[in-house]
Amino acid sequence: MNNRTAVLIGSTGLIGQEVLNELLEDPDFSTVRILVRKPVSITHPKLQVMVVDFDDENDYKQKTGTGDSVFCCVGTTQKKVKGDLDAYERVDFLIPLNAARFAKEAGFRCYALISSVGADDQAKNFYLRLKGKTEKAIVGVHLPATHIFRPSILLGDRRESRLGEEAAKKIMQGLSFALAGGLSKYKPIHAANVAEAMVRLSKKDDEGVFIHHYAEMK
């Protein structure tokens, strides 16, 4: 099948940039629609750039449109929302959940979500609890195929500096050799590997809910 349409949310983030590159280079996708808050300078024959007000559900739904696969790589940080946990939840929960709802209504077959290792809606940690809550809500939408990707520390060149994350990268890379068996899911992984897995698995015909950790993505 080489006439697929993909919708990508979060195309400017570390994984989102890699997913966009994968989709634009993949001959199975003829249309790649990215939903963004503000215009971007990228141009490509397959690319549709849709500037969206994510707080306006009608605008969001209309610009999601129709297609085959949704790739949700959106995410924020405490720093970006200045500690406003409600704002954090609007980005990391409502945007992904609304995308799933709109995809279901429009007949999309596959939804691919970036989450996090350790995601658990009962976790004490706010970040992991929110990721778990988001996963649970999206699974409840019941799309034909839902792929949830749970990377640990991400490797790659971010556009922004995260000092704590950079320190964690160095530590985890040093310990990576010892993370075997059930601990392998905590190994650092390059964003390009995650993106390749997302695009590749989105093209499978399998239906159901699939959770992917390091081994499945690598």
Side-chain angles (χ1 to χ4, degrees), residues 164-177:
E165 188 174 274
E166 290 304 314
K169 282 182 186 178
K170 293 178 181 179
I171 293 170
M172 293 302 288
Q173 283 181 283
L175 295 174
S176 186
F177 73 94

Side-chain angles (χ1 to χ4, degrees), residues 25-206:
E25 293 175 7
D26 192 319
D28 288 333
F29 289 89
S30 60
T31 302
V32 180
R33 186 178 307 126
I34 61 173
L35 309 187
V36 294
R37 290 186 183 278
K38 54 187 178 181
V40 295
S41 58
I42 308 167
T43 58
H44 189 280
K46 290 164 52 169
L47 184 63
Q48 296 178 352
V49 179
M50 310 297 286
V51 178
V52 179
D53 179 356
F54 289 100
D55 294 323
D56 181 338
E57 287 197 15
N58 289 329
D59 186 55
Y60 188 4
K61 180 177 180 179
Q62 179 186 358
K63 289 174 179 173
T64 298
T66 59
D68 302 281
S69 300
V70 171
F71 298 86
C72 187
C73 306
V74 71
T76 190
T77 64
Q78 295 269 14
K79 181 179 179 181
K80 285 183 179 178
V81 299
K82 300 178 181 178
D84 184 340
L85 299 186
D86 289 335
Y88 203 130
E89 187 159 332
R90 285 197 297 274
V91 175
D92 275 39
F93 177 74
L94 285 179
I95 289 177
L97 177 57
N98 282 336
R101 289 175 46 231
F102 302 151
K104 173 74 171 182
E105 292 173 17
F108 282 75
R109 191 194 64 80
C110 176
Y111 186 102
L113 172 73
I114 289 296
S115 185
S116 171
V117 67
D120 182 348
D121 67 334
Q122 299 299 314
K124 293 181 179 179
N125 175 276
F126 170 80
Y127 175 78
L128 296 179
R129 185 170 66 253
L130 182 57
K131 291 297 184 184
K133 175 183 174 181
T134 303
E135 289 184 6
K136 186 174 182 178
I138 288 169
V139 168
V141 175
H142 301 295
L143 282 114
T146 301
H147 291 271
I148 296 171
F149 296 82
R150 292 180 177 174
S152 181
I153 298 293
L154 289 169
L155 306 177
D157 297 322
R158 286 193 185 275
R159 295 179 179 177
E160 60 187 2
S161 176
R162 298 183 182 180
L163 295 179
E165 188 174 274
E166 290 304 314
K169 282 182 186 178
K170 293 178 181 179
I171 293 170
M172 293 302 288
Q173 283 181 283
L175 295 174
S176 186
F177 73 94
L179 299 175
L183 295 177
S184 67
K185 63 185 178 182
Y186 296 103
K187 286 186 176 184
I189 186 167
H190 201 286
N193 292 131
V194 181
E196 186 278 331
M198 291 181 77
V199 174
R200 171 171 45 84
L201 292 170
S202 76
K203 296 188 288 184
K204 287 185 171 290
D205 293 329
D206 301 340

